[in-house]
Amino acid sequence: SVLAAANPINGRYDKSKSLKSNVAMTAPIMSRFDLFFVILDECNEVPDYNIATHITNVHRLRDEALKPDYTTAEIQRYIKFARTLRPQITPAAEKVLVAQYQRLRQNDASGTKSSYRITVRQLESMVRLSEALARLYCDDEIKPQYVMEACRFLQRSILRVENDDVELD
């Protein structure tokens, strides 16, 4: 797994440009990643206050400021177990994968705006994401609901940023 971050050209994301144009990344490099999510740093009084309060509390109170639901050891044990799973695609999940891939390709061909073209790489991404979701739920089968969630991740990832329907809570 690879997690990467990129800063936009000139320090600010330009919503009128594509992701590729904002980060000066070539299409062949971008095609190697399964998902892209843009996090915009917009001024907003309430979130800014909450972030500042959290960061100062972490520095002031140290460990007392953080109250995780699970210990680091528990999370490591869970991840170690999940990595041992090799979920298999069920026939029902295969049908959903094929149908969702066809739908994404049709939308791409009909001119739906996205940050990149829909190719077989996105089908492979849906398979990897579906496998990851099965592991998350400690399931040895990839079920249709995992495929649908993987497709939803992929669709949200390929939306252009100027669309207002991507909201962070």
Side-chain angles (χ1 to χ4, degrees):
S1 298
V2 175
L3 177 64
N7 288 322
I9 298 169
N10 301 323
R12 285 274 181 213
Y13 195 92
D14 183 347
K15 290 181 182 183
S16 68
K17 295 181 181 175
S18 69
L19 172 64
K20 186 172 73 169
S21 298
N22 268 286
V23 295
M25 194 179 295
T26 64
I29 295 296
M30 288 182 73
S31 73
R32 303 300 194 268
F33 292 92
D34 289 337
L35 300 172
F36 291 92
F37 290 100
V38 175
I39 300 171
L40 300 175
D41 183 15
E42 297 180 319
C43 296
N44 186 316
E45 188 177 343
V46 174
D48 289 349
Y49 173 81
N50 291 336
I51 290 168
T53 301
H54 175 73
I55 290 172
T56 55
N57 281 338
V58 167
H59 284 277
R60 190 170 55 88
L61 303 172
R62 306 276 184 229
D63 291 342
E64 297 168 25
L66 305 174
K67 296 179 180 109
D69 293 332
Y70 303 98
T71 66
T72 301
E74 289 171 327
I75 292 170
Q76 289 171 335
R77 193 167 47 248
Y78 167 76
I79 291 171
K80 187 176 180 180
F81 173 74
R83 284 184 174 163
T84 67
L85 299 173
R86 298 288 175 249
Q88 300 299 309
I89 300 171
T90 63
E94 180 182 13
K95 287 180 184 175
V96 175
L97 272 165
V98 170
Q100 291 300 317
Y101 175 67
Q102 288 176 313
R103 189 177 59 75
L104 286 172
R105 291 278 293 175
Q106 279 297 332
N107 288 344
D108 187 43
S110 67
T112 302
K113 286 185 176 182
S114 70
S115 295
Y116 54 83
R117 305 298 305 185
I118 302 300
T119 67
V120 75
R121 286 189 187 270
Q122 281 68 47
L123 175 59
E124 292 169 345
S125 292
M126 277 196 292
V127 171
R128 281 190 296 273
L129 292 166
S130 299
E131 288 173 349
L133 286 162
R135 285 188 188 102
L136 176 72
Y137 288 103
C138 298
D139 200 335
D140 58 354
E141 290 185 336
I142 297 171
K143 296 178 178 162
Q145 61 261 35
Y146 303 149
V147 174
M148 293 302 295
E149 186 67 4
C151 187
R152 190 180 73 81
F153 288 157
L154 192 60
Q155 286 177 295
R156 288 292 181 213
S157 171
I158 61 180
L159 287 175
R160 292 180 59 107
V161 174
E162 65 265 16
N163 289 351
D164 291 332
D165 41 25
V166 177
E167 291 290 324
L168 295 177
D169 294 329

